[in-house]
Amino acid sequence: MPLRRRFSTEKGTDLHRCLVCDIRAQSVCSAIDDTELAILAQASKRLTLPPGTSVVEEGSPAVAFYNVTSGTVKLFKSLPDGRRQITGFADIGHFLGLTNAETYAFSAETVDTVQVCRFLRPQLETLLTDYPQFERRLLSEVTDELAEAQEQMLLLGRKTARERVASFLLNRMLPPASPNQTESEGCMVSLPMTRVDIADYLGLTIETVSRTISALRREQTITGTDNHGIRVLSVSRLTDLASGQTSGQNNR
Amino acid sequence: MPLRRRFSTEKGTDLHRCLVCDIRAQSVCSAIDDTELAILAQASKRLTLPPGTSVVEEGSPAVAFYNVTSGTVKLFKSLPDGRRQITGFADIGHFLGLTNAETYAFSAETVDTVQVCRFLRPQLETLLTDYPQFERRLLSEVTDELAEAQEQMLLLGRKTARERVASFLLNRMLPPASPNQTESEGCMVSLPMTRVDIADYLGLTIETVSRTISALRREQTITGTDNHGIRVLSVSRLTDLASGQTSGQNNR
DNA sequence: CGAGTCTTTGAAGCCTTTCAACCGAGGTGG
DNA sequence: CCACCTCGGTTGAAAGGCTTCAAAGACTCG
């Protein structure tokens, strides 16, 4: 509390924001020392965005870089006729908007209510130059991102609909809620997005996604009536499905 | 020549190698000052690899980082049953093998005769730490790589076979050989890889790739009898095709 | 409770794949 | 020297998985 008062009176902004940020450890911001967090807070601005808000737009000037602190943002590219490919979902701790180009090569839109920290381009540049650990951390994040993109290319180019959906559910599986959660209870899957988004992420149609999920439910691989609350019953079976290690049966 | 003698006697290795490297300007190495190139040369080793050589293998320890100085390397991921997705081609000036993980998440194999400079992991780490410009340049390269990956996801997830092949040919189009080359002569396309590789890159079968290229030839959009020597006759038509801006006619 | 949105399910169609045969170039060995 | 084999590529015909088109069910929110 004393901290809050001290910092917020200092310049009118809450410079302690980054200090109390509970997801800092998971993001690029963890690269900045505790003692210099005021600089980080000064370089960025926290925004709260309602669902369906456009964060960046393909082709518009790349003026800012964002760090997601809560909620989920979808990144996508579109063709002139409206076909869309979601290239990834950025959720807690992930960044978006990094580019060498003058303009963004992709669009980004919030899936649910999202909080982001926005860094304007010049301020990001300063951070990168002044804090090598920050730059290193960012390099590490982009490298991971690239590895994920390659995995997704394998999915889009070579996997069947069943394999795609199985891979997707596995990737979005949450860690067990309690440490003593039994295997039989199954793991929850985080699905804040609609079927349209899932389809555009997996390179399928909403009908195919729906049919495939229904099939998995019928086979008792997953359960959950609520569309956004699916539970995985057999992780091992889903893992096999995801990599194509399954006899061709039960495809309906 | 005096340089060669001085450096090569110094430690028995050709430390001037990087100084005379004619593609340095195009690669991450351009970030290192001329005066410190000996350090770069010491940190790396140049290798010449025949076609079909495995450079890195999915799952094996990630001990090295490579910079391609000539030729083309294909990067790919595979499924247990052998299905393969080529995630990219690394040619002159591009790097490969950067990862945060203990093991590589992809494989890489030479397409033709390839020259690479190999940096072992600890030496790369040292360079990154000692030369912030080097790290910055690498960040920039990975960022570009990620943007390309997103473009490829759009292709794999949402484009038709015709659109994929058209996009591929455009991407691999070489700049006009001579500045006064007329538009009508057409641009050459660099295709060192086989149909199998093209198919695995575009998420198609070799038959579909072959049929599509034949169709483009029949329509006079491209020419060239030699499989690895294709010439684009109408860049604008190909551009329209690549983004789906074309009436559905002439698909055969 | 009704309008709109999201999802599910069914049936038909189509683009790509699969299966198969053929072609041409390059290398080999009798 | 040329038959023979292999390999990469092309082409044809049939099959299949996903999409498209269509309609009904389920959920949300004022």
Side-chain angles (χ1 to χ4, degrees):
Chain A
M1 263 317 171
L3 260 179
R4 155 164 269 150
R5 197 168 300 116
R6 190 171 94 234
F7 278 120
S8 49
T9 51
E10 192 178 28
K11 275 203 65 178
T13 58
D14 56 339
L15 295 188
H16 76 303
R17 167 163 51 81
C18 297
L19 188 61
V20 301
C21 176
D22 49 346
I23 65 103
R24 178 159 59 93
Q26 303 170 49
S27 83
V28 284
C29 299
S30 64
I32 307 287
D33 266 354
D34 277 18
T35 55
E36 314 190 281
L37 284 180
I39 291 166
L40 194 60
Q42 232 167 354
S44 66
K45 189 171 176 184
R46 171 162 279 175
L47 305 172
T48 301
L49 309 167
T53 308
S54 173
V55 183
V56 318
E57 213 143 345
E58 192 172 344
S60 66
V63 294
F65 166 90
Y66 300 86
N67 200 12
V68 178
T69 58
S70 87
T72 303
V73 177
K74 58 188 176 198
L75 313 182
F76 58 94
K77 288 176 74 84
S78 299
L79 288 170
D81 62 6
R83 279 174 289 171
R84 191 181 67 151
Q85 178 65 40
I86 293 182
T87 58
F89 294 101
D91 46 22
I92 193 161
H94 286 108
F95 69 87
L96 63 103
L98 188 66
T99 173
N100 297 315
E102 292 298 309
T103 58
Y104 294 116
F106 62 93
S107 302
E109 200 178 304
T110 56
V111 170
D112 44 18
T113 298
V114 167
Q115 284 206 329
V116 293
C117 289
R118 184 180 66 193
F119 298 76
L120 295 180
R121 199 86 177 263
Q123 289 151 355
L124 177 69
E125 293 285 339
T126 307
L127 280 177
L128 287 177
T129 312
D130 294 352
Y131 300 93
Q133 336 81 277
F134 186 80
E135 184 167 32
R136 178 68 70 96
R137 175 63 189 244
L138 199 54
L139 176 60
S140 156
E141 297 271 331
V142 185
T143 301
D144 280 345
E145 205 93 349
L146 185 59
E148 272 179 47
Q150 290 169 341
E151 183 69 40
Q152 190 69 359
M153 285 191 251
L154 175 63
L155 180 148
L156 293 170
R158 290 303 182 210
K159 289 189 183 179
T160 66
R162 271 171 81 78
E163 290 161 1
R164 294 183 198 200
V165 171
S167 303
F168 175 68
L169 294 177
L170 279 174
N171 283 339
R172 298 211 55 96
M173 227 170 52
L174 300 169
S178 61
N180 53 4
Q181 180 179 357
T182 68
E183 156 84 24
S184 61
E185 289 174 29
C187 288
M188 285 303 298
V189 176
S190 159
L191 296 179
M193 68 292 292
T194 67
R195 290 285 184 273
V196 178
D197 287 341
I198 298 177
D200 282 350
Y201 180 57
L202 299 179
L204 300 170
T205 59
I206 51 172
E207 292 93 334
T208 301
V209 171
S210 182
R211 273 187 257 270
T212 308
I213 290 180
S214 296
L216 292 177
R217 220 172 341 231
R218 213 172 309 136
E219 303 158 15
Q220 311 275 317
T221 306
I222 59 175
T223 46
T225 54
D226 179 12
N227 290 321
H228 298 280
I230 280 181
R231 187 180 289 275
V232 177
L233 292 179
S234 170
V235 177
S236 61
R237 172 146 172 73
L238 211 53
T239 308
D240 285 352
L241 278 178
S243 57
Q245 317 219 21
T246 181
S247 51
Q249 68 195 358
N250 275 339
N251 278 20
R252 271 284 128 187
Chain B
M1 266 319 170
L3 260 178
R4 155 166 269 152
R5 197 167 302 117
R6 190 171 94 235
F7 279 118
S8 48
T9 51
E10 194 176 28
K11 274 203 66 174
T13 59
D14 57 338
L15 295 186
H16 75 301
R17 168 163 51 82
C18 297
L19 187 62
V20 300
C21 175
D22 48 345
I23 65 103
R24 177 159 59 93
Q26 304 170 49
S27 82
V28 284
C29 299
S30 65
I32 306 288
D33 267 353
D34 277 17
T35 55
E36 313 189 283
L37 284 180
I39 291 165
L40 194 60
Q42 232 167 356
S44 66
K45 188 171 176 184
R46 172 162 277 175
L47 306 173
T48 302
L49 310 167
T53 309
S54 174
V55 183
V56 318
E57 213 143 344
E58 193 171 344
S60 66
V63 293
F65 166 90
Y66 299 87
N67 200 13
V68 178
T69 58
S70 88
T72 303
V73 177
K74 58 188 176 196
L75 314 183
F76 58 93
K77 289 176 72 85
S78 300
L79 289 170
D81 62 6
R83 280 175 288 172
R84 192 181 67 151
Q85 178 64 39
I86 292 181
T87 58
F89 294 101
D91 46 23
I92 193 160
H94 286 107
F95 69 87
L96 64 101
L98 190 66
T99 174
N100 297 314
E102 291 299 309
T103 59
Y104 295 116
F106 62 92
S107 302
E109 200 178 305
T110 56
V111 170
D112 44 17
T113 298
V114 168
Q115 284 204 331
V116 292
C117 289
R118 183 181 66 193
F119 297 78
L120 294 180
R121 199 88 176 262
Q123 289 150 356
L124 177 69
E125 292 286 339
T126 307
L127 280 176
L128 287 177
T129 312
D130 294 352
Y131 301 93
Q133 334 83 274
F134 186 80
E135 183 166 34
R136 179 67 70 95
R137 174 62 188 248
L138 199 54
L139 175 60
S140 157
E141 297 272 330
V142 185
T143 302
D144 280 345
E145 205 93 346
L146 184 59
E148 272 178 48
Q150 289 169 342
E151 183 68 39
Q152 191 69 359
M153 284 191 251
L154 175 63
L155 180 148
L156 292 171
R158 289 304 182 209
K159 289 188 181 179
T160 66
R162 272 173 79 77
E163 290 161 0
R164 293 183 200 201
V165 171
S167 303
F168 176 68
L169 293 177
L170 280 174
N171 283 340
R172 298 212 54 97
M173 227 169 53
L174 300 169
S178 63
N180 54 5
Q181 179 179 0
T182 69
E183 156 84 24
S184 60
E185 289 175 30
C187 289
M188 285 303 298
V189 175
S190 160
L191 295 180
M193 67 292 290
T194 66
R195 290 285 183 275
V196 179
D197 286 342
I198 298 176
D200 282 350
Y201 180 56
L202 299 179
L204 300 171
T205 58
I206 52 173
E207 292 93 333
T208 301
V209 170
S210 182
R211 274 187 256 270
T212 308
I213 289 180
S214 296
L216 292 176
R217 214 164 357 220
R218 212 172 310 138
E219 303 158 14
Q220 310 275 317
T221 306
I222 59 175
T223 46
T225 54
D226 179 13
N227 290 321
H228 298 279
I230 280 181
R231 187 179 289 275
V232 177
L233 292 178
S234 171
V235 177
S236 61
R237 172 145 174 72
L238 212 53
T239 308
D240 285 351
L241 278 179
S243 58
Q245 316 219 21
T246 183
S247 52
Q249 66 194 358
N250 275 342
N251 279 21
R252 273 282 133 189

